[in-house]
Amino acid sequence: MTDGLDVIVVDDDADVCELISSTIKRFYTWGNVLSFTDTEEAIAYCLNRDIGVAIFVVDVFLGGSSGFYFLDAIDEKFPTAHSDSIIVTGNASDDIVNMCVASDVNHLLEKPIKPYALQLAVRAIAEKYLKFAKKLFRDPEFAKSIANF
């Protein structure tokens, strides 16, 4: 179990998966960075986690499936998986952009990924959780109302 907001990287190309993971590990301090090259293994891991919140960096094409299939498969356990995702592709075509929009994915990066673009996208997703946590600490009444929800 983790005490932070983990980043889960899913890409069927082992070299790309390692490159993305190592890039994130250089700047990310709010949780662990986990990587998977096997979609089914990533799904099983996510469905067995105690906490259903994470940041996802997912390749759009994952061998015989897609990044959207992965996100749909974990959606029940991670209700914000789509909006907490960064889709990665070799070619950001209109179809892929439209799939992102239709799936509530707001971050799309094209390979080769620029490290600063990845950092800003991860930070944008993490920031909403950091702001929410600060609000919980600063406003006990708000925290109490969330606890009773």
Side-chain angles (χ1 to χ4, degrees), residues 2 4-11 17 20-21 24-25 28 31-39 41-59 62 67 70-71 74 77-78 81 84-88 118 122 125:
T2 181
L5 180 63
D6 291 344
V7 177
I8 298 172
V9 179
V10 184
D11 195 311
C17 194
I20 291 171
S21 296
I24 294 169
K25 286 176 183 176
Y28 194 74
N32 296 317
V33 179
L34 306 146
S35 59
F36 297 90
T37 56
D38 180 275
T39 307
E41 181 184 345
I43 290 169
Y45 172 81
C46 289
L47 295 179
N48 288 314
R49 281 177 52 110
D50 291 333
I51 298 172
V53 177
I55 297 171
F56 299 94
V57 181
V58 184
D59 190 12
L62 295 169
F70 167 77
L71 294 173
I74 64 166
K77 178 76 176 219
F78 290 82
D84 291 345
S85 292
I86 301 160
I87 293 291
V88 177
L118 181 59
V122 169
I125 296 168

Side-chain angles (χ1 to χ4, degrees), residues 6 16 20 23 29 33 36-37 62 70 72 76 99 103-104 119 145:
D6 291 344
V16 173
I20 291 171
T23 300
T29 60
V33 179
F36 297 90
T37 56
L62 295 169
F70 167 77
D72 290 344
E76 190 170 315
M99 287 190 300
S103 297
D104 197 28
Q119 183 173 0
S145 71

Side-chain angles (χ1 to χ4, degrees), residues 92-145:
S93 68
D94 288 344
D95 288 340
I96 292 173
V97 171
N98 290 337
M99 287 190 300
C100 287
V101 171
S103 297
D104 197 28
V105 173
N106 297 313
H107 301 279
L108 174 65
L109 297 178
E110 203 167 27
K111 298 174 189 175
I113 298 171
K114 300 209 181 300
Y116 69 84
L118 181 59
Q119 183 173 0
L120 290 172
V122 169
R123 175 65 190 202
I125 296 168
E127 185 65 23
K128 75 178 178 181
Y129 291 104
L130 295 171
K131 285 181 179 178
F132 184 72
K134 287 178 188 175
K135 184 165 178 64
L136 288 175
F137 284 120
R138 291 184 181 151
D139 189 344
E141 288 301 315
F142 177 67
K144 186 177 176 182
S145 71

